[in-house]
């Protein structure tokens, strides 16, 4: 079965949103197809990300999403590869590998210095794929997150 990887177009929003909804469920978020469709549509419409889709004769079978950003230390533009998902029926068919190779080719074409990604510590399958393509796990820096909160009325920051 032939797989083509290409940039997502407006017509791909519904199918990409379905995959994005499954991706969010993989990361233990509740299914919300309307949210997924609105999110994907906004990223494409506003040109805030690059979405690459993997397509077979049966339709879209995977996607990855790249966010343009910068590395201040290197003073160069980079991509954050935030989302990578392959439909369960197409796993182990090389779709993830094709998407990652296409993402790298796109990054080179766009003059990016590198790509960064984060994955769950428990996602050993993805980690093996990344490492097989030359991605290097960062064992030096720790990543922190903090949910932001709306300040209380009258509170001065």
């Amino acid at each position: 079965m032939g797989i083509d990887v290409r940039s997502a177009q407006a017509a791909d929003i519904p199918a990409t949103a379905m995959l994005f909804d499954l991706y969010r469920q993989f990361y233990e978020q509740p299914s919300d197809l309307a949210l997924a469709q609105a999110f994907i549509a906004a990223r494409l419409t506003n040109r805030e990300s690059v979405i690459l889709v993997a397509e077979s004769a049966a339709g879209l079978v995977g996607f990855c999403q790249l966010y343009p950003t910068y590395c201040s230390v290197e003073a160069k533009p980079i991509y954050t590869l935030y989302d990578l998902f392959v439909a369960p029926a197409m796993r182990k068919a090389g779709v993830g590998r094709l998407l990652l190779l296409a993402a790298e080719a796109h990054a080179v074409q766009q003059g990016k210095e590198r790509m960064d990604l984060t994955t769950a510590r428990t996602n050993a399958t993805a980690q093996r794929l990344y490492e097989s393509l030359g991605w290097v796990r960062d064992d030096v820096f720790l990543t922190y997150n903090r949910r932001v909160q709306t300040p209380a009325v009258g509170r001065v920051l």
Side-chain angles (χ1 to χ4, degrees), residues 16 22-23 28 30 39 42 58 60 81-83 87 92 98 100 109 114 118 133 145 151 154-155 157:
T16 305
L22 291 170
Y23 166 81
E28 301 177 1
F39 187 85
L60 298 189
L81 194 158
Y82 206 89
D83 312 314
K92 302 203 186 278
L98 288 173
L100 286 168
Q109 177 188 18
R114 69 166 199 261
T118 305
L133 290 172
N145 296 289
R155 183 176 168 197
L157 296 177

Side-chain angles (χ1 to χ4, degrees), residues 100-122:
L100 286 168
L101 291 172
E104 184 170 359
H106 183 78
V108 168
Q109 177 188 18
Q110 296 299 308
K112 303 303 181 191
E113 185 69 17
R114 69 166 199 261
M115 293 186 297
D116 292 345
L117 65 78
T118 305
T119 192
R121 290 184 187 269
T122 57

Side-chain angles (χ1 to χ4, degrees), residues 142-153:
L142 298 175
T143 301
Y144 289 84
N145 296 289
R146 177 165 165 65
R147 296 231 177 258
V148 296
Q149 300 174 16
T150 305
V153 175

Side-chain angles (χ1 to χ4, degrees), residues 47-143:
R47 297 179 184 213
E48 295 169 337
S49 71
V50 172
I51 300 175
L52 301 176
V53 293
E55 185 173 37
S56 74
L60 298 189
V61 296
F63 79 98
C64 70
Q65 186 161 205
L66 303 164
Y67 291 98
T69 189
Y70 296 90
C71 173
S72 297
V73 174
E74 295 181 27
K76 302 234 172 135
I78 65 171
Y79 272 136
T80 297
L81 194 158
Y82 206 89
D83 312 314
L84 174 67
F85 185 78
V86 175
M90 293 300 294
R91 295 196 180 139
K92 302 203 186 278
V95 176
R97 179 176 296 275
L98 288 173
L99 284 163
L100 286 168
L101 291 172
E104 184 170 359
H106 183 78
V108 168
Q109 177 188 18
Q110 296 299 308
K112 303 303 181 191
E113 185 69 17
R114 69 166 199 261
M115 293 186 297
D116 292 345
L117 65 78
T118 305
T119 192
R121 290 184 187 269
T122 57
N123 195 346
T125 301
Q127 292 167 34
R128 283 191 299 275
L129 172 60
Y130 303 143
E131 290 170 10
S132 77
L133 290 172
W135 289 75
V136 178
R137 184 173 66 191
D138 183 345
D139 290 325
V140 176
F141 293 96
L142 298 175
T143 301

